[in-house]
Amino acid sequence: MTDNLSALKSFDPFKSGFDENTIINASAGKSGDGSISVTAKGRYKLFSFWNRTPAQKAENNAARAQLLTALGKAFNMEGVHNEQGRVTFSRDFLNKLEEKLGKDVLKTGDFKLDNQGNVASGKPLTARRVRQILNKAYTMVSKAPEKIDYDKYADKLENIKASYENNLRMSENLKLVDNCLKALKNSAEKNETIIMKNDNCEGIDPKDQDCLFVYRQGDDGDLAAVENPYHFKSIFQGTAGFPSDSEDKFTLYLRKGDYDPGKPNEKIDKMAQKYHGGVKPPAYDFRDDMIRELNDKLIKYVRMTVDLFEKCSEKGKLDDFEQVMSTVNMGPKTTVTNKIAELKALERRLL
């Protein structure tokens, strides 16, 4: 869809925390870099349209124009014109935006255009409307999680392993791929993930109630808290057979208080950019993205290994596949991120 949803980031504070009838004032930033200054301005009152001054109507129109401009950037749409700071819109742009977001979210009548393409409705923009638009935009651009057909890939991987059973290095490295697939499959069958959120899980030791994550001890064991970074690394290596990434977020945010949502956090923001276009969804829980990031990497590692074997077979380049998979870089001392980088390099060579 787009990777520009961050254009709406200036409106992000109004996703929550403000009364839905709060009026939003938005204007172009003073720096001239395309930024938007967004603030709260009073509260919408029924029948207030009788008392709106021309200046208030102009401010309301300017706020709506800034929101339309941001939406145009977010969805890479044509029809937004900016001539020396004067922003106008085509009717086709507004109609397509209404179609994209839905009439229940964005009504063209609330953004009425005059003959020159200026917003001319005079209506105030409320937190309720911005919230609806942001929530809909989020659901439209959120990146889908990595997926894999566990049984199909398990069968394919068994065939690959069988073809290299006499090659010790290849067999060892393919076993790591198999470890990941089996762990992912077992988790999926239990409707779980390798690491899960500790949201009032039963049986957790009271001293570990402030741990943010739990894991299952063995295939059918009880849930237990992930106690500290070293514990996570041990769990991950026991599951995958290779070390976790040194910059893995699970080594940073494992207990309540490790993450303060009120403070800037580059690592969390990067995940929000990666999965949600830069605008965090309502009731955002950073743990969901951490778990997803881990699962996505493991699924990608398995899927790329099997798919590249098939591509190399089709192109008569199995030597290239064997050369990559039999290296130390694909072995038990290398992190999954580095393994994926090796596979991506092979993929580029096949293009």
Side-chain angles (χ1 to χ4, degrees), residues 143 269-278 293 296-297:
K143 185 178 177 183
D269 288 346
K270 280 184 177 179
M271 288 197 302
Q273 181 66 48
K274 180 179 180 180
Y275 296 124
H276 312 295
E293 189 172 65
D296 279 3
K297 282 194 293 188

Side-chain angles (χ1 to χ4, degrees), residues 212 252-265 268-269 280 284-287 290:
L212 296 175
L252 299 173
Y253 309 110
L254 287 173
R255 288 185 177 272
K256 294 176 182 177
D258 287 346
Y259 167 59
D260 182 353
K263 294 182 179 179
N265 189 299
I268 305 297
D269 288 346
K280 295 173 184 175
Y284 178 73
D285 188 335
F286 72 98
R287 295 179 298 171
M290 285 172 61

